[in-house]
Amino acid sequence: MTISWIQAAMLGLFACLCSNSCMAGQAVGNYTIGRPLVGGLICGLILGDLQLGIACGVAMQLVYIALVTPGGTVSADVRAISYIGIPLAMVAIASQGLNPLGGSAANLAKSVGTLVGTVGTVLYYAVATMNLVWQSFGWKDVHNGKLNKLTAVNFGWPWISHAIFSFLPTMFLTYYGATAVTALRNALPMDGVAMKTLFTVGGMLPCVGIAILLRQIIGRTTDFIPFLVGFTLAASLGLNLVSVTVVSLLFAVIMYEVEMSKGGKQGNSTVPEGPNDDDEEDI
Amino acid sequence: MENTNNSKKLDKRTLLKSFHRWFWGALTCFSQEHMQTFGYMASMLPILKKLYPNHKDQVKAIKAYTAFFNTNPMLGTVIVGITASMEQARANGKEIDGETINDMRAGLMGPIAGIGDSLIDGTLIPILLGISLGMSTGGSPLGAIFYIVAWVLIAYFGQRFLYFRGYHFGDQAVSFLVGKQGAAIRRAIGIVGSMVVGGVLASWVNVTTSLKLYGANGKVFLNLQNKLDSIYPGLLTVIVTLFCWWLMTKKHVSAIWTMLLLVVISLIGVLVGFFNPGLSY
């Protein structure tokens, strides 16, 4: 499998749309186009191997299933994961002749994608830094009362940051990286220590992603209990994720009632709903 | 802040325009220094233009939004809706100044960010992705398509609902998120989030050992993985995850260094025969 300039350029365009601080809006860009699962679909379509693309996307998504960016700090960059990492992983798997649906292919994808994604955080900070230039234009416009120019500051100028730090790196890295990854095949035999290590790491990397999320949601030691209960339900009892969620809702309702009844009287007793689960339209 | 002296009232078209600017542009001009400030200004622009025909007043009004702003962009939509209603009240001569608006924004962006990150990034997205991953096993595009449709619909209409809820109810829209009820909701969401994450880990991650000890007769007398499974299925997966958590939370090791440490552990594990991914062409 090779990547042509046109394919590399298309990948570059999607990289502009999806990165954190993306041009396609947070919900559609970062949270949809940027997710490795969707990236796998798009890369599969661009490179002409849908099944392999999806398989790589699924593998990569596991590492970043719970990508949180508290306070704008990132530990990985979705444009690099999804539009540099996945294409290169696809080329690597194809050149190694691995079964795209096998566990080895998935672990290889995780290693390649995570490596690229981690290195890609540089791109995130580069874009955010270059945006300071456009923001300085914006402050001048606000100062001089040229409010109409704010639209260009927010929606227009950042395209230049992305052209330099999303489009070009993605295009060059996928185009030249594909050759390098193919060359790797001869340098590193599959049964050697290097490859074995790479694949073993791939299998463990999702643990880091989950641990990052745990850092967000675990406040005290007892918070590990629901986490372990959820794990046990799936690992020992074999429940799928929707079933685990349903069971967890019961505990959530109990916890809510307990917290609300603390300290006695409380006027409002309605059971809450997650505000964002509510997709009904007002007005 | 409702229906008193409604000489100036925002129409739905203007509100939708403002909402769409937030939906598409909350973070387009992001920098570490100002974060979502410019996205906020851009989405308030249609509101200010509608409320203040005089250009001077527009320039004066936008000064309130030059302050630093950053929150969860999904749930934070409600804050933009609230400022739209506050701005309307200000334009109608109510005693609201830029400082009042900024106090509200500064007071809400922290709690909303916390709840939004755990509710959306930590709970809703992992559930949606977990379902979608199951549908995409075997290289089928179905799961990816399901995720795109489900998430974009939830995100668009959910945020739109939040925006108008903020506009109609003002800061009442989020009163349930602060105080006692807010704390109870956060605890309840935390339970769902933790259990779902545990389920995700068990369903999709599987760290195993290949360590086997052979007796003198060449037969396996210890298959460590089988032993571990009989104690607690998935034990190694939990241990590796908790180890990473411990490193990052208690030892303040960054995610990148944690990953590099895993590389070292894997290398040693492969060399001593603890790990073997079983590769072959």
Side-chain angles (χ1 to χ4, degrees):
Chain A
M1 183 182 273
T2 54
I3 295 177
S4 71
W5 279 115
I6 292 173
Q7 286 168 325
M10 284 164 79
L11 294 169
L13 183 64
F14 276 103
C16 296
L17 293 175
C18 81
S19 50
N20 207 324
S21 81
C22 49
M23 298 316 294
Q26 206 62 3
V28 172
N30 190 17
Y31 281 72
T32 309
I33 301 173
R35 298 291 129 168
L37 178 64
V38 178
L41 173 73
I42 294 169
C43 292
L45 288 172
I46 291 176
L47 297 186
D49 190 341
L50 194 59
Q51 195 187 33
L52 179 58
I54 298 269
C56 288
V58 168
M60 287 305 307
Q61 186 63 72
L62 293 175
V63 182
Y64 297 107
I65 194 154
L67 193 69
V68 277
T69 54
T73 52
V74 296
S75 52
D77 181 77
V78 285
R79 111 200 72 186
I81 298 161
S82 296
Y83 296 100
I84 304 175
I86 290 179
L88 291 185
M90 287 172 70
V91 173
I93 290 167
S95 72
Q96 298 279 13
L98 293 170
N99 170 15
L101 302 179
S104 309
N107 286 343
L108 181 60
K110 284 177 214 165
S111 288
V112 172
T114 308
L115 179 72
V116 172
T118 306
V119 175
T121 48
V122 174
L123 301 175
Y124 167 79
Y125 289 107
V127 167
T129 305
M130 191 166 188
N131 281 345
L132 282 170
V133 177
W134 324 130
Q135 292 186 341
S136 76
F137 292 1
W139 294 126
K140 262 190 210 133
D141 294 332
V142 170
H143 189 72
N144 298 333
K146 294 175 185 163
L147 298 187
N148 283 334
K149 291 197 170 175
L150 279 179
T151 305
V153 167
N154 198 51
F155 292 98
W157 290 113
W159 272 106
I160 297 180
S161 315
H162 279 287
I164 296 173
F165 293 115
S166 298
F167 182 78
L168 291 179
T170 305
M171 188 168 75
F172 286 120
L173 283 173
T174 48
Y175 184 82
Y176 291 110
T179 321
V181 163
T182 310
L184 209 65
R185 184 197 192 287
N186 303 324
L188 298 173
M190 287 289 275
D191 45 1
V193 172
M195 273 307 200
K196 277 185 180 172
T197 304
L198 200 63
F199 281 68
T200 306
V201 173
M204 282 199 267
L205 283 172
C207 297
V208 182
I210 299 283
I212 291 171
L213 183 60
L214 283 179
R215 198 171 51 173
Q216 287 293 109
I217 59 181
I218 301 276
R220 42 188 143 174
T221 318
T222 49
D223 289 348
F224 277 114
I225 295 172
F227 166 72
L228 287 174
V229 171
F231 186 89
T232 309
L233 287 176
S236 301
L237 299 179
L239 296 190
N240 72 16
L241 212 55
V242 180
S243 311
V244 173
T245 310
V246 171
V247 174
S248 75
L249 288 176
L250 174 68
F251 290 101
V253 170
I254 294 171
M255 176 56 76
Y256 178 79
E257 295 296 339
V258 168
E259 290 281 321
M260 289 305 282
S261 62
K262 266 185 198 167
K265 58 175 199 258
Q266 175 71 30
N268 198 346
S269 64
T270 48
V271 177
E273 292 168 66
N276 223 51
D277 294 343
D278 208 338
D279 53 5
E280 95 185 56
E281 200 188 327
D282 202 30
I283 272 196
Chain B
M1 54 195 61
E2 60 269 6
N3 64 32
T4 45
N5 182 20
N6 271 346
S7 52
K8 286 176 186 170
K9 193 160 178 5
L10 292 163
D11 57 316
K12 192 179 174 187
R13 210 169 140 248
T14 312
L15 290 167
L16 271 179
K17 196 172 173 194
S18 161
F19 161 66
H20 283 138
R21 277 172 164 240
W22 178 258
F23 183 79
W24 293 109
L27 278 145
T28 41
C29 195
F30 175 92
S31 76
Q32 295 289 332
E33 197 180 340
H34 303 294
M35 296 204 170
Q36 297 162 358
T37 309
F38 277 86
Y40 211 112
M41 281 199 272
S43 59
M44 286 309 287
L45 206 53
I47 306 266
L48 300 180
K49 281 193 173 166
K50 187 79 183 177
L51 290 173
Y52 307 104
N54 191 330
H55 181 255
K56 256 195 184 139
D57 295 334
Q58 292 174 11
V59 177
K60 196 172 152 242
I62 204 152
K63 291 278 197 278
Y65 303 98
T66 53
F68 173 84
F69 188 80
N70 188 44
T71 191
N72 179 286
M74 315 293 156
L75 219 52
T77 317
V78 75
I79 304 180
V80 189
I82 293 170
T83 43
S85 86
M86 289 177 96
E87 202 58 62
Q88 178 179 300
R90 168 154 87 157
N92 284 316
K94 277 227 174 184
E95 274 189 42
I96 292 174
D97 56 8
E99 210 167 309
T100 321
I101 293 175
N102 258 319
D103 285 349
M104 186 281 299
R105 295 203 307 157
L108 280 182
M109 67 186 194
I112 294 268
I115 296 172
D117 283 353
S118 62
L119 178 70
I120 295 165
D121 300 61
T123 310
L124 182 63
I125 299 258
I127 293 172
L128 268 181
L129 282 173
I131 298 168
S132 311
L133 284 172
M135 293 163 77
S136 264
T137 315
S140 154
L142 200 64
I145 293 166
F146 168 79
Y147 175 80
I148 294 171
V149 173
W151 164 250
V152 170
L153 287 179
I154 291 173
Y156 180 79
F157 288 105
Q159 282 185 255
R160 192 170 146 154
F161 169 78
L162 283 172
Y163 185 95
F164 282 99
R165 195 181 158 90
Y167 172 70
H168 285 296
F169 296 99
D171 47 12
Q172 296 297 307
V174 288
S175 59
F176 70 97
L177 287 180
V178 287
K180 187 181 176 185
Q181 200 178 12
I185 292 173
R186 256 170 284 174
R187 290 280 290 150
I189 293 170
I191 298 273
V192 178
S194 311
M195 287 185 68
V196 167
V197 171
V200 165
L201 183 66
S203 309
W204 297 106
V205 187
N206 192 16
V207 180
T208 54
T209 175
S210 57
L211 189 73
K212 289 189 181 86
L213 293 182
Y214 298 91
N217 54 3
K219 277 195 178 163
V220 176
F221 78 89
L222 176 71
N223 182 332
L224 188 59
Q225 186 59 42
N226 287 353
K227 271 275 181 293
L228 292 176
D229 280 341
S230 67
I231 299 169
Y232 181 65
L235 186 62
L236 272 183
T237 312
V238 173
I239 290 174
V240 174
T241 307
L242 294 187
F243 175 66
C244 295
W245 174 85
W246 177 78
L247 279 179
M248 289 192 288
T249 311
K250 300 291 174 191
K251 297 284 155 193
H252 304 287
V253 180
S254 74
I256 292 168
W257 281 106
T258 307
M259 289 178 181
L260 286 175
L261 189 63
L262 286 185
V263 174
V264 175
I265 292 172
S266 303
L267 177 64
I268 295 168
V270 166
L271 288 176
V272 302
F274 191 79
F275 295 123
N276 185 359
L279 297 175
S280 57
Y281 279 107

